[in-house]
Amino acid sequence: MDHAVERAVAYMRERCGEPLTLAEIAESALLSRFYFTRVFKAETGLTPGRFLAAVRMHEAKRLIESTSMSITEISLAIGYNSLGSFTKSFTASVGVSPGRFRRLSRDGQQGLPDPEPAVWPGGGTVAGTVSLPEGHGNARVFLGAFRTAVVQHAPLAWAVVDVPSGRPSCYSLKNVPGGSWHLLAVAQAAGVGPGPRAGRTVLVGGHGRPAVTVAADGVTSAAVRLRPVRPTDPPVLLALPALDPPATVTARPGCASVTPAPGAGARRRAAGHLRLASAAPARSRP
């Protein structure tokens, strides 16, 4: 069924400036509207309407970065009749206004809209490891907790983690508000070897579905696995920091774990105290 969703996504990308209806998109996938909506959300994590909105904002980002079109022309090209509505939607999704995004792009910069995360009273912690697929070198990873399955403004908490080739690295998102959130990651990884894969590659991933549930003043363990981008992945909208992979990465000695240290009491567990657990797999004894 993933081929049907791919056809629908390709249709959205090709005609994102047109006033598409759900019936038209479902027809492109050769499915009924009801069944298509259910299959599409199961595959992408979004309804067709939300996915189309993300595709339009992503196309706007591309046009701002790569063309000399005015912001008004771009808003019309992706189906907005009001410049004010476009500017509001773009800023809410990307984290910066269209004009500022163009200036950052021309200067060769990207930037998070909020360098300091918001403070959530009674927030919890999400911690674990980030791992890369085989065949990739070191990577710099942006990791965040989001309200939806789209990497967009504003993340509830975020971190940038360097991951070495061939082994996982630790991460910790602190002060995450209680609730169920999508744990999503975007990375740029270096290649290995002299072949065509030696260049840099964009990777995406997360904890998977369902969303991660965070308890107030508690600690949630969640492993994040990265992979190459798929055609059905929602586009990345948030203005990210530079993710140039580092030449070397110093592996951290251990990772935070939800398991309390021996002898820790209930108050210590509730307060979200962490102990260190090795990120490397345990060696078997001979």
Side-chain angles (χ1 to χ4, degrees):
M1 197 58 65
D2 55 338
H3 294 301
V5 176
E6 287 184 16
R7 287 195 298 270
V9 169
Y11 186 81
M12 291 182 189
R13 295 186 190 279
E14 292 170 1
R15 306 192 178 191
C16 64
E18 302 177 16
L20 300 177
T21 66
L22 177 60
E24 291 171 332
I25 299 172
E27 184 178 355
S28 73
L30 305 179
L31 297 174
S32 68
R33 285 185 298 174
F34 175 78
Y35 187 58
F36 167 72
T37 300
R38 186 174 66 180
V39 169
F40 190 93
K41 187 171 184 179
E43 177 69 22
T44 67
L46 297 171
T47 64
R50 287 184 178 273
F51 196 100
L52 177 59
V55 166
R56 285 173 170 157
M57 282 298 114
H58 190 260
E59 175 65 6
K61 285 180 63 180
R62 187 191 70 80
L63 293 173
I64 289 173
E65 287 181 299
S66 62
T67 75
S68 59
M69 295 171 63
S70 69
I71 303 302
T72 299
E73 290 172 333
I74 291 172
S75 68
L76 294 172
I78 65 166
Y80 278 78
N81 294 321
S82 166
L83 177 60
S85 296
F86 167 73
T87 300
K88 183 178 179 180
S89 297
F90 186 96
T91 305
S93 298
V94 181
V96 294
S97 67
R100 185 183 174 193
F101 184 75
R102 171 160 277 171
R103 290 192 296 272
L104 290 171
S105 300
R106 287 176 175 174
D107 292 340
Q109 302 175 13
Q110 293 288 313
L112 285 173
D114 295 315
E116 296 297 329
V119 176
W120 304 95
T125 297
V126 181
T129 58
V130 184
S131 58
L132 307 176
E134 294 183 2
H136 294 280
N138 299 337
R140 179 156 289 168
V141 183
F142 174 89
L143 182 85
F146 295 87
R147 292 180 173 85
T148 69
V150 180
V151 177
Q152 62 184 356
H153 184 66
L156 299 161
W158 60 270
V160 175
V161 182
D162 290 334
V163 182
S165 175
R167 63 170 296 170
S169 186
C170 308
Y171 79 89
S172 178
L173 296 182
K174 298 180 180 180
N175 193 36
V176 183
S180 294
W181 316 114
H182 295 266
L183 188 59
L184 305 173
V186 182
Q188 190 171 139
V192 294
R197 296 189 63 187
R200 295 178 179 179
T201 303
V202 175
L203 303 173
V204 297
H207 181 62
R209 304 190 187 104
V212 173
T213 300
V214 180
D217 295 319
V219 183
T220 301
S221 178
V224 174
R225 297 175 178 83
L226 294 169
R227 55 170 175 75
V229 178
R230 297 170 182 162
T232 55
D233 286 326
V236 174
L237 302 183
L238 182 63
L240 296 174
L243 296 177
D244 298 327
T248 59
V249 178
T250 302
R252 295 172 57 184
C255 290
S257 169
V258 296
T259 306
R267 178 181 296 180
R268 183 175 176 85
R269 289 194 297 270
H273 286 268
L274 309 179
R275 72 175 177 87
L276 292 179
S278 175
R283 296 182 179 179
S284 58
R285 296 182 177 179

